Amino acid sequence: MAINNRPLKAYVRFDGSGRIVAGSLILRKNKPKVGKWKEIQAYECCFLTSTTTTTTAAPTTTTSTTVAPTTSTTTTVAP
């Protein structure tokens, strides 16, 4: 049985630095007046809109650099 009439909305509260306050999820008809509140999706299992996800692969660029090895020769002559 699907719930077609959802009178309550879900709200979470944000603290001063913009993080969600743990345990602040409430279900109400109207947004609370005091504090920074944002409505979130409450009924995830029965949300009645379809979503489409499109994925594209990013182009791959390969760069190769060839450098000649450096050599040094030290000659020691014994007296």
Side-chain angles (χ1 to χ4, degrees):
M1 178 178 163
I3 300 173
N4 293 329
N5 186 9
R6 298 185 177 116
L8 299 179
K9 299 175 185 175
Y11 295 96
V12 290
R13 189 173 187 172
F14 289 88
D15 65 4
S17 61
R19 297 174 298 184
I20 295 175
V21 176
S24 68
L25 175 66
I26 61 169
L27 296 174
R28 293 184 57 160
K29 188 174 181 180
N30 298 320
K31 185 169 91 169
K33 304 281 187 219
V34 178
K36 295 179 185 176
W37 294 88
K38 181 179 179 186
E39 183 180 350
I40 62 168
Q41 180 181 347
Y43 303 98
E44 293 181 8
C45 69
C46 305
F47 198 57
L48 301 175
T49 59
S50 61
T51 58
T52 304
T53 304
T54 305
T55 312
T56 57
T60 304
T61 304
T62 304
T63 304
S64 176
T65 305
T66 305
V67 177
T70 57
T71 57
S72 62
T73 306
T74 304
T75 307
T76 306
V77 178

